[in-house]
Amino acid sequence: MPGLQETRILPYSPEQMFDLVADVARYGEFLPWVVATRVRSDSETEMVADMLVGFKMLREKFTSKVEKQRPHSLTVHYLDGPLRDLDNRWHFRPTPDGGCELDFSVTFTFRNALFESLAGQYFDKAFRKMVAAFETRAEQLYGVKA
């Protein structure tokens, strides 16, 4: 199963980054290609949500279950959509200066092997753009910190 991983040191606390990533209902405001979201259920430890992703004329809906361990991690399990599998994990570790080390990984499998090989070429760029969008959103919500 192909996958990507990114680690970044951020000046925001694990709690701040956890809250930002867990706020799925607001993804359409800042994440590229997210057209709409719908949270079906939400508790302190679990959420089920739909996300409509679009690019030009393409539109696809994904349903995921999110396991929440505040403020340390979010684990997203793919339930339904156009792929065979799509899982991601967010880990937030505190740093001595009050910020956090963000570790984000995603694994995916397309239903069609040919499409997987073609789309895989673009997935890395899309993944990095998405991580940058979360970082930019943190700056908007919490301010730029030195």
Side-chain angles (χ1 to χ4, degrees):
M1 182 180 315
L4 298 165
Q5 189 269 333
E6 178 89 13
T7 299
R8 297 209 179 165
I9 303 296
L10 299 172
Y12 312 104
S13 71
E15 292 82 4
Q16 288 174 312
M17 292 308 298
F18 180 97
D19 289 342
L20 189 156
V21 175
D23 193 5
V24 173
R26 313 268 323 247
Y27 279 11
E29 296 176 21
F30 68 95
L31 272 182
W33 311 295
V34 174
V35 176
T37 56
R38 180 179 66 140
V39 176
R40 293 184 186 190
S41 63
D42 194 12
S43 73
E44 284 297 311
T45 59
E46 185 178 284
M47 174 192 322
V48 175
D50 298 324
M51 186 178 326
L52 182 63
V53 177
F55 180 74
K56 297 189 181 188
M57 298 302 287
L58 291 171
R59 295 274 190 273
E60 294 288 351
K61 184 181 96 171
F62 297 81
T63 302
S64 298
K65 178 176 80 171
V66 181
E67 294 175 3
K68 301 188 282 185
Q69 294 183 342
R70 174 177 286 284
H72 308 291
S73 68
L74 293 152
T75 303
V76 183
H77 302 285
Y78 181 77
L79 297 178
D80 188 40
L83 302 173
R84 182 174 297 139
D85 195 31
L86 174 67
D87 293 319
N88 60 71
R89 290 174 177 74
W90 299 83
H91 293 279
F92 313 99
R93 286 181 285 286
T95 57
D97 62 357
C100 75
E101 178 181 271
L102 165 70
D103 186 38
F104 176 54
S105 63
V106 62
T107 56
F108 56 94
T109 306
F110 289 89
R111 293 190 192 279
N112 179 308
L114 176 61
F115 187 68
E116 182 170 310
S117 67
L118 292 172
Q121 299 172 27
Y122 301 99
F123 202 80
D124 181 66
K125 185 182 282 187
F127 172 79
R128 306 240 179 267
K129 188 171 186 170
M130 190 176 79
V131 172
F134 277 100
E135 194 169 351
T136 299
R137 180 67 169 184
E139 290 173 1
Q140 292 169 346
L141 292 177
Y142 308 128
V144 178
K145 298 181 181 182

